[in-house]
Amino acid sequence: MTGCKFEPKGVELEPSNGVFLDAPVDLVEFDNDRGESLLGVLVGPESLPPPEPMPAVVILHGSGGLFSTPDRDDELLEVSPQYADWAAMLSPRGHVVMLPSSFYSRGYFEWDDHPRDVDELERMIMRTYDAYGALRFLCEQPFVDCERVALLGFSNGGSVTLMTMHEGLDGVSGMSQLTPAEQRERFVRAVSYYPGCELQGLADDYFPAVLTTIEHASKDSLVEDCPGLFHQVDSTAQARAVDNPLTLTIHEGADHGFDGDPDNDAEVRARDEARASTLDAFEQALMR
């Protein structure tokens, strides 16, 4: 499964307020379309079986990885506080949460420790496979409503979120092993936090298959390509006589990672506004 020397006895998900969730938190294993076996963290539901199948959210971690790097005496994998907080916001609202671990599953905790034969282009491709593998896993669970699953990504995971939602994904280099679009499961809503919008040059004619939101920061260098991407999508939407499926909000005075550890009042405001917008988006798209 992994080349990490750390051998965990389980997983711990502790939000930054120190209050543990009522829902169960489990390490699960799933496969992607490339036949790679991965670990993920599954949160909820509180009881089985639930009254009816539930909506779900897949959360894609950033370059720092899903888990905090363990100390010598640690026995559990600890979900990084940023993602633990999101699970703590989504689970009580009636969402199953799935957090695939693209890095730990391949033998390293964070991107800085990646193998030399895995570059940034391969990272984008492999993590897109992981996103759809996590979606399939959820759809195989009897307690998940496969028609109500959303995608939420941060930083590199935000870039992967945009790529995953690309309607022309099947034609992108490296995606030939994906289950064809007409046969694979679909996310119904997506939110991407501070992504790199150039998408490693993989998508020349980018257009999201469903409504996709970008939450970005004015002081983040990664924001530079996002207005251009938005206008390109808008031009395509106008040519098709449809509404633009991509929305872009740039939070003034905020920098990269503003929602995880805000440094000033502008970032606190950005965090609160973006979180409220994201939770509202999922409420509208997923809840009946």
Side-chain angles (χ1 to χ4, degrees), residues 207-220:
F207 199 80
V210 301
L211 186 58
T212 299
T213 298
I214 297 174
E215 300 284 351
H216 227 306
S218 66
K219 293 185 176 181
D220 188 340

Side-chain angles (χ1 to χ4, degrees), residues 102-137:
S102 290
F103 298 164
Y104 179 77
S105 299
R106 293 179 169 91
Y108 48 100
F109 278 93
E110 55 183 294
W111 176 247
D112 286 346
D113 298 324
H114 68 279
R116 293 181 180 178
D117 59 347
V118 181
D119 59 16
E120 293 183 354
L121 189 65
E122 167 61 16
R123 175 176 61 171
M124 179 74 75
I125 293 170
M126 76 184 192
R127 298 199 67 196
T128 301
Y129 279 95
D130 296 352
Y132 276 110
L135 174 59
R136 184 193 305 117
F137 172 86

Side-chain angles (χ1 to χ4, degrees), residues 259-273:
D259 74 296
D261 187 19
D263 285 334
N264 51 52
D265 290 344
E267 294 194 346
V268 170
R269 182 169 58 253
R271 178 200 64 190
D272 293 346
E273 291 175 353

Side-chain angles (χ1 to χ4, degrees), residues 56-95:
V57 178
V58 173
I59 297 178
L60 301 181
H61 62 74
S63 296
L66 178 61
F67 302 115
S68 300
T69 302
D71 295 325
R72 182 186 300 272
D73 298 329
D74 287 344
E75 295 185 342
L76 300 176
L77 283 169
E78 297 181 5
V79 176
S80 294
Q82 178 183 12
Y83 311 119
D85 284 352
W86 274 100
M89 287 185 280
L90 291 166
S91 178
R93 288 172 167 80
H95 300 77

Side-chain angles (χ1 to χ4, degrees), residues 123-279:
R123 175 176 61 171
M124 179 74 75
I125 293 170
M126 76 184 192
R127 298 199 67 196
T128 301
Y129 279 95
D130 296 352
Y132 276 110
L135 174 59
R136 184 193 305 117
F137 172 86
L138 287 173
C139 287
E140 291 171 347
Q141 309 311 309
F143 51 83
V144 171
D145 183 347
C146 190
E147 296 184 354
R148 293 189 292 159
V149 184
L151 184 61
L152 173 63
F154 298 85
S155 192
N156 176 250
S159 301
V160 176
T161 294
L162 294 181
M163 180 61 72
T164 301
M165 303 318 301
H166 182 26
E167 69 170 14
L169 185 61
D170 289 30
V172 171
S173 176
M175 300 298 176
S176 61
Q177 292 175 270
L178 269 179
T179 299
E182 63 272 13
Q183 299 175 25
R184 66 175 177 257
E185 298 82 1
R186 296 184 59 190
F187 292 101
V188 299
R189 187 68 166 85
V191 179
S192 171
Y193 275 64
Y194 34 84
C197 288
E198 51 89 23
L199 301 177
Q200 300 299 321
L202 285 168
D204 293 332
D205 299 310
Y206 181 78
F207 199 80
V210 301
L211 186 58
T212 299
T213 298
I214 297 174
E215 300 284 351
H216 227 306
S218 66
K219 293 185 176 181
D220 188 340
S221 62
L222 290 179
V223 78
E224 295 175 357
D225 293 317
C226 293
L229 182 68
F230 172 82
H231 291 305
Q232 181 259 304
V233 172
D234 191 49
S235 296
T236 302
Q238 291 182 39
R240 297 183 183 185
V242 297
D243 292 335
N244 188 339
L246 186 67
T247 62
L248 170 64
T249 299
I250 300 175
H251 298 277
E252 290 299 323
D255 207 337
H256 195 79
F258 62 81
D259 74 296
D261 187 19
D263 285 334
N264 51 52
D265 290 344
E267 294 194 346
V268 170
R269 182 169 58 253
R271 178 200 64 190
D272 293 346
E273 291 175 353
R275 284 181 173 180
S277 175
T278 300
L279 294 172

